[in-house]
Amino acid sequence: MTKTTKPMVRIHDLKSNEVIDREMNDFEFAQYQANQAQAEAEIAEAEARAQAKAAAQAKLAALGLTVDDLTALGL
Amino acid sequence: MTRSRDNATNVAGDISGVTAGTGLSGGGTDGTVTLNLSTPVASTNGGTGLSSFTTGDMIYSSSGNTLAKLGIGTTSQVLTVASGVPSWATPAGGGGITLINSGGTSLSGATTTISSIPTSYKNLYLIMLDVVNSLDDRECHLTFNSDNNNNYNTTGYTTVNATSSFFNTNSTNKIRWGQGTASTTADNKSMAIINIYDYASTGQRIITSDQRSRAGTDNVSLKGTGTYFGSSAITSITFSMGAGVYNSGTAFLYGVS
């Protein structure tokens, strides 16, 4: 039995009304990996931004300031 | 002057005979005289020039003073004009919505593609029902025509509980249509409505998405507007994920006339 090494894809062809489940071909898999890497990078970037924001807010709070205070200063 | 019927001499004012003129038959010079129509009265004389009809026939001028009959059409046909004269025609269909992928397409795997989409409709309308992903809170994507080039834009926002985050992606290789859930609880599964306008054109097309799910303990939704500027009519749609796979769910694809 062949071991599945690549993710499965489903194709529903409306012309024949046939549904095919198969492994990704090499081209699709390369694209899939690139998309996954891109998505993970975007998630990591968003998380890093959120952490930086939280850290900045914590520093403000330690100084007795809020975001509204900075806004009032035009910052 | 007194006249008798045996007076053989006509005098001024007497009618000596009745002659059948054009379209008439009969006539005579004495006794009871009868005239009959031998041909229909012409339209120029106030008639129709027609001698027989079938139920449903209508009379119209086919050319100047020439009248013609228009036979009745078939059920549901309407009277229209073609080449300057009336005729019956089947009315063009009005707007409608047709389920293209009968029974829907079950979502499965890293990608699910609906291919061979006919280009005979005006817009496409997708209903995504009960979608479950393998991972919580991951981006759900759309691509068209297996086009992985940077031909997509998406602007919108996701909302997690009461907090919204805006996103704006220009010239990327996919459109975000939702934010997934791995929950299999019935009322947590992802639901969405996606519209793809003027999909069969080759210009820039607009896509809108409204989606909602419950991921973990969060109520998650996405509202986005995207554009696709690939150079071909959209004939296939691929659903993919930022991470993970589609475990279940159904995509119902409708064509809007």
Side-chain angles (χ1 to χ4, degrees):
Chain A
M1 185 174 155
T2 306
K3 186 182 175 185
T4 299
T5 57
K6 297 187 180 76
M8 296 295 290
V9 298
R10 171 167 289 181
I11 300 167
H12 183 183
D13 188 325
L14 300 186
K15 197 169 186 179
S16 61
N17 200 29
E18 189 177 19
V19 177
I20 297 170
D21 291 315
R22 61 164 172 79
E23 279 187 29
M24 285 183 175
N25 59 36
D26 290 342
F27 176 79
E28 290 167 338
F29 187 56
Q31 188 64 51
Y32 171 77
Q33 288 180 308
N35 289 343
Q36 297 284 295
Q38 183 184 358
E40 292 303 325
E42 287 170 357
I43 290 170
E45 188 181 321
E47 287 176 351
R49 280 200 305 268
Q51 286 176 0
K53 184 177 179 181
Q57 286 173 333
K59 288 177 186 175
L60 282 176
L63 294 171
L65 297 171
T66 66
V67 174
D68 289 341
D69 293 327
L70 296 184
T71 304
L73 290 171
L75 299 175
Chain B
M1 183 175 77
T2 308
R3 299 180 61 219
S4 64
R5 289 184 62 81
D6 57 358
N7 189 340
T9 304
N10 289 323
V11 297
D14 282 353
I15 296 172
S16 59
V18 175
T19 304
T22 303
L24 297 172
S25 62
T29 55
D30 66 324
T32 300
V33 175
T34 302
L35 292 174
N36 293 303
L37 280 173
S38 61
T39 57
V41 178
S43 61
T44 49
N45 293 324
T48 63
L50 302 171
S51 60
S52 66
F53 294 91
T54 302
T55 301
D57 281 353
M58 298 177 70
I59 300 171
Y60 69 98
S61 167
S62 58
S63 176
N65 293 326
T66 303
L67 299 182
K69 294 178 289 186
L70 173 65
I72 192 67
T74 56
T75 300
S76 300
Q77 282 193 312
V78 296
L79 194 61
T80 188
V81 177
S83 301
V85 295
S87 60
W88 296 103
T90 301
I97 186 165
T98 304
L99 179 62
I100 300 174
N101 60 340
S102 180
T105 298
S106 297
L107 301 174
S108 177
T111 67
T112 296
T113 298
I114 302 174
S115 66
S116 302
I117 297 170
T119 56
S120 53
Y121 298 96
K122 185 165 182 56
N123 304 318
L124 294 177
Y125 181 63
L126 271 165
I127 303 287
M128 310 295 289
L129 292 186
D130 297 327
V131 180
V132 178
N133 305 109
S134 59
L135 298 172
D136 262 333
D137 201 19
R138 297 303 173 103
E139 293 183 14
C140 298
H141 298 150
L142 275 179
T143 54
F144 304 119
N145 300 343
S146 301
D147 182 356
N148 291 306
N149 297 310
N150 293 331
N151 288 329
Y152 307 82
N153 300 319
T154 317
T155 300
Y157 58 92
T158 56
T159 302
V160 179
N161 298 320
T163 303
S164 294
S165 301
F166 292 87
F167 61 89
N168 183 18
T169 56
N170 281 315
S171 298
T172 57
N173 58 359
K174 72 250 178 185
I175 281 178
R176 287 176 70 174
W177 70 265
Q179 203 70 12
T181 179
S183 173
T184 56
T185 303
D187 59 354
N188 289 354
K189 296 176 182 177
S190 188
M191 309 283 271
I193 297 170
I194 302 168
N195 289 291
I196 305 167
Y197 296 96
D198 203 17
Y199 73 105
S201 80
T202 55
Q204 183 168 232
R205 280 138 288 177
I206 188 167
I207 298 95
T208 62
S209 176
D210 285 277
Q211 177 267 339
R212 193 271 178 192
S213 66
R214 183 171 174 83
T217 58
D218 297 324
N219 296 315
V220 178
S221 66
L222 180 146
K223 192 172 186 67
T225 302
T227 56
Y228 174 60
F229 46 98
S231 58
S232 301
I234 293 172
T235 56
S236 76
I237 301 171
T238 297
F239 304 94
S240 60
M241 296 288 298
V245 300
Y246 288 92
N247 283 346
S248 60
T250 308
F252 291 92
L253 179 64
Y254 293 86
V256 181
S257 301

